[in-house]
Amino acid sequence: MNGLLHAYRQLWTNRELPVENNENETLMNAITKELLDEMTHPRLRKNIHFKFHLSVKRILSSSLNQDQKLGLIEIHLKVMENLTKNPT
C-alpha cells in the first residue's frame, strides 16, 4: 500500500488528507467516506454502488500508473465489501 495515499490524493486535488494514525488507516477512512458519499449533503447522497462505479471510473481515467490504479481499485473493492457486509 506504499504510495497509494499519495496516488489517491492526486485524484482529489482540493481535498486535504492529513495522515491520522498511519497512511493505510487514512486511505481506508478516506475511501469509506467517499463511498458513503459523506462529503455531500444527506438529501443529495448517491447510493454506495453508484459511488463505487464513479470511483472506479475516476481511477481508470486518471493519469496514475497501472500499478497505482490497480492498487486503488483493490482497496476500493475491500472497503466496498466491508461496507456491504456491515452497513452503517
Side-chain angles (χ1 to χ4, degrees):
M1 267 196 220
N2 281 347
L4 289 180
L5 180 59
H6 176 70
Y8 185 78
R9 283 180 177 136
Q10 291 177 354
L11 297 175
W12 302 98
T13 53
N14 293 326
R15 190 176 296 177
E16 287 187 34
L17 282 174
V19 174
E20 296 155 3
N21 293 330
N22 61 56
E23 286 192 8
N24 293 342
E25 184 178 321
T26 300
L27 181 58
M28 297 293 272
N29 288 341
I31 292 172
T32 299
K33 280 183 172 182
E34 176 188 351
L35 294 179
L36 293 175
D37 207 10
E38 291 181 354
M39 303 297 280
T40 304
H41 189 279
R43 287 185 293 181
L44 302 175
R45 289 184 181 156
K46 306 293 183 209
N47 76 43
I48 191 170
H49 300 287
F50 183 74
K51 290 300 291 187
F52 177 78
H53 174 79
L54 290 178
S55 298
V56 171
K57 280 181 66 172
R58 181 183 208 109
I59 293 167
L60 291 174
S61 66
S62 74
S63 62
L64 299 173
N65 69 47
Q66 294 301 321
D67 290 338
Q68 291 171 318
K69 289 179 183 183
L70 183 59
L72 287 174
I73 291 171
E74 286 175 345
I75 295 172
H76 274 75
L77 280 169
K78 182 187 293 187
V79 171
M80 181 68 169
E81 288 171 359
N82 288 340
L83 290 173
T84 54
K85 285 181 187 173
N86 306 312
T88 55

